[in-house]
Amino acid sequence: VEWLPVYTETLGILCSHKNPLAQRSSVSVPELRNENFIINFNLYPKSILGRIFMDAGYAPRIICESCDNSLIGPMVADNLGIAFVDVNASDAFRTRNASAPVSLIPFQENITRRIGIIRPKGKPSKLTPESVEKAFKNYMFPSQTTDRSDPPQ
């Protein structure tokens, strides 16, 4: 098998405008020690979060785990906790949630995650890194792309 990297996320937090962190231009992981976390476990499983917080010397206080962003966003807006987000997707997020009372704040640390696909090595495939990246970006950031073609088969 071979690994085809498609996208690199740069992590940050989503917090309510009511949260004092909302006025910050960036935050560090150690500063979040006393925050409540609302986690999308499909996007950010505990294995990924554990490494981030272990390096900071504490375990996060997770108050809710969900895979439903339509639940997580309002909980963050109501200042029940903060959530992890891909700050690269911030323009698309702001377009879809223009009236949401939330702030996207990058981490001071460069916390990234590579997303890709695994495919059989050496077999002909239409799944080239470029075609997968194009399909992925069309799906994730529809407001930033004009190509709506179907993903490769």
Side-chain angles (χ1 to χ4, degrees):
V1 295
E2 67 181 325
W3 163 257
L4 297 176
V6 175
Y7 180 73
T8 301
E9 282 187 325
T10 301
L11 298 183
I13 64 164
L14 181 69
C15 71
S16 168
H17 284 170
K18 298 173 190 171
N19 187 310
L21 296 171
Q23 305 308 313
R24 303 277 303 276
S25 60
S26 65
V27 296
S28 68
V29 176
E31 293 177 286
L32 305 177
R33 179 180 301 275
N34 297 317
E35 296 293 328
N36 293 325
F37 288 86
I38 302 163
I39 302 299
N40 183 325
F41 58 80
N42 281 340
L43 296 177
Y44 305 106
K46 288 182 181 177
S47 60
I48 291 172
L49 297 179
R51 287 192 310 264
I52 294 169
F53 290 106
M54 188 181 306
D55 290 345
Y58 69 96
R61 185 174 44 233
I62 298 173
I63 62 161
C64 179
E65 294 182 59
S66 178
C67 62
D68 185 356
N69 282 334
S70 65
L71 171 68
I72 293 171
M75 290 180 73
V76 168
D78 285 342
N79 203 26
L80 298 175
I82 63 176
F84 280 93
V85 292
D86 173 15
V87 295
N88 295 327
S90 61
D91 290 338
F93 176 86
R94 286 187 178 104
T95 299
R96 289 190 306 268
N97 302 281
S99 64
V102 295
S103 296
L104 290 162
I105 305 167
F107 282 115
Q108 292 169 359
E109 304 89 348
N110 184 29
I111 302 174
T112 61
R113 176 173 75 152
R114 295 291 310 231
I115 296 174
I117 63 168
I118 297 173
R119 69 176 187 181
K121 189 173 186 171
K123 292 189 176 183
S125 174
K126 293 181 184 178
L127 294 176
T128 65
E130 295 78 18
S131 67
V132 172
E133 178 179 16
K134 183 177 176 182
F136 178 80
K137 287 181 177 176
N138 284 345
Y139 176 76
M140 290 297 294
F141 311 114
S143 66
Q144 297 177 4
T145 60
T146 55
D147 182 5
R148 301 290 188 259
S149 61
D150 291 330
Q153 300 295 324

